[in-house]
Amino acid sequence: MKYPRILTGLLLGAAASLAHAQATWPTKPITLVVPFAAGGPTDVVARTIGASMTKSLGQTVVVENKLGAGGTVATAYAAKAAPDGYTFFIHHNGMATAPALYRKLSFDPMKDFEFVSQAVEVPMTLLARKDFPAGNLQEMVAYIKANKDKINLANAGLGAVSQLCGMMFQRAIGVQVTEVPFQGTAPAMNALLGGQVDVLCDQTTQTVPQIKAGSVKLYGVTTRNRVKVLPTAPTLAEQGLKDFEVVVWHGIYAPKGTPKPIVDKMNAAVRAALKDPDVIKRMDDLGAEIVPDAGNTPDALRVWLKAEIDKWGPVIKAGGKFAD
Ligand code: MLT
């Protein structure tokens, strides 16, 4: 009889310390894993929101860039991290496209994560190096068609939105060029600025400053409507690439099993960050739109991710580009 009593005592003790850990969370720095290179679009969103949450949570939100395989290295890492409320993960459409792009994945986006919140939506821009010999989209397409063996299209690997956008662009114009993968669009942008690659489709959260500085050539935006921050830039669809639309959305996740009270507190912290005037201004300056509050519940993110998996699966399968 002695042992069951000890066991009950141990269980009660463990339950009490778990409840205490949840009630006092966070008591140490929180890691926010980013699946692409520092300085790039995902990193910019993570660091902007992270800085605001650092103020509201009273603990530092540390951004950790885990690179490789179009974001899938970081996703696998985040899926296996301890579900103790000290590791979170930010990712974009890549969370929805990876299952169609990769034959083998060690994670299931729907089953291996808790859903925290959506965050922002970001337009993409079709760019070329500064000295690219084309003044508008029509000339760009003609030049690419005439020189397809020489054109290098940069992206951040299979699973990156730059890759998705580049794939859709090539399909829309009926030409296949050489794709050059980087570990994020920050290094891809450096290569574009240095003239080592010719074309890049990337998010405004990285491209607006380069476009405004005249360091790259802009051929259009990937949204249905023009974007406020680049008012003179036509959409790709209005220039003849019928129905061309890619909008990048970012969501925040936790490893499966992270206690609900912590997920809920993190959700509240993300929502508060999205109302922080500094965050609003920075996102506005970079062309990103904050997702309205109703879209930022854990459940809304879960439903959204499932819909995106269903939407992009057939598009990717038609593109015929897969990896093991
Ligand atoms: C990045 O943060 O580097 C980009 O989001 C990568 C991508 O194109 O998906």
Side-chain angles (χ1 to χ4, degrees), residues 45-321:
V45 172
R47 283 177 202 270
T48 305
I49 294 173
S52 178
M53 290 196 297
T54 293
K55 287 185 274 168
S56 68
L57 290 170
Q59 288 290 342
T60 310
V61 175
V62 181
V63 168
E64 184 181 346
N65 301 84
K66 269 240 166 283
L67 313 182
T72 55
V73 168
T75 316
Y77 171 82
K80 306 259 166 339
D84 58 2
Y86 289 94
T87 302
F88 290 86
F89 179 51
I90 183 165
H91 202 354
H92 56 33
N93 313 45
M95 194 74 165
T97 56
L101 286 167
Y102 286 82
R103 289 193 187 89
K104 287 181 231 142
L105 280 182
S106 67
F107 59 85
D108 181 327
M110 292 305 299
K111 292 190 183 142
D112 293 341
F113 292 91
E114 305 293 343
F115 302 91
V116 177
S117 179
Q118 291 197 70
V120 292
E121 289 189 350
V122 188
M124 299 191 84
T125 47
L126 181 65
L127 309 174
R129 60 182 155 79
K130 193 180 171 181
D131 54 356
F132 196 76
N136 54 39
L137 181 69
Q138 223 183 344
E139 288 174 21
M140 180 199 215
V141 171
Y143 185 84
I144 291 176
K145 284 186 174 170
N147 296 278
K148 60 179 190 297
D149 298 336
K150 288 196 281 185
I151 299 292
N152 288 315
L153 169 68
N155 64 43
L158 269 186
V161 283
S162 46
Q163 195 280 329
L164 183 70
C165 180
M167 178 189 83
M168 288 171 65
F169 176 60
Q170 291 177 86
R171 220 189 296 169
I173 66 171
V175 176
Q176 192 83 41
V177 298
T178 304
E179 293 186 28
V180 186
F182 293 82
Q183 293 198 318
T185 53
M189 175 61 84
N190 283 339
L192 191 73
L193 294 172
Q196 287 95 36
V197 295
D198 305 294
V199 180
L200 170 67
C201 187
D202 194 18
Q203 296 163 67
T204 56
T205 30
Q206 166 161 262
T207 65
V208 162
Q210 302 296 354
I211 293 166
K212 291 197 165 164
S215 320
V216 291
K217 272 190 176 167
L218 170 64
Y219 293 93
V221 294
T222 65
T223 35
R224 186 169 302 169
N225 301 311
R226 291 187 177 205
V227 302
K228 208 172 64 189
V229 75
L230 298 166
T232 57
T235 68
L236 295 181
E238 81 184 70
Q239 295 179 90
L241 301 189
K242 200 170 164 298
D243 298 332
F244 198 106
E245 189 182 6
V246 189
V247 178
V248 184
W249 57 272
H250 295 77
I252 297 172
Y253 307 83
K256 188 79 189 172
T258 303
K260 183 163 182 323
I262 293 179
V263 170
D264 289 345
K265 283 186 192 175
M266 186 66 172
N267 173 271
V270 174
R271 282 164 177 259
L274 296 174
K275 295 191 177 87
D276 177 341
D278 292 345
V279 173
I280 293 171
K281 166 135 186 27
R282 178 119 173 90
M283 291 297 103
D284 212 41
D285 288 349
L286 295 176
E289 277 197 20
I290 295 199
V291 173
D293 223 22
N296 293 337
T297 64
D299 214 40
L301 174 57
R302 189 181 49 75
V303 170
W304 177 255
L305 177 64
K306 173 76 177 69
E308 285 283 289
I309 290 172
D310 294 345
K311 171 181 159 183
W312 287 110
V315 177
I316 287 160
K317 289 200 169 111
K321 208 158 193 131

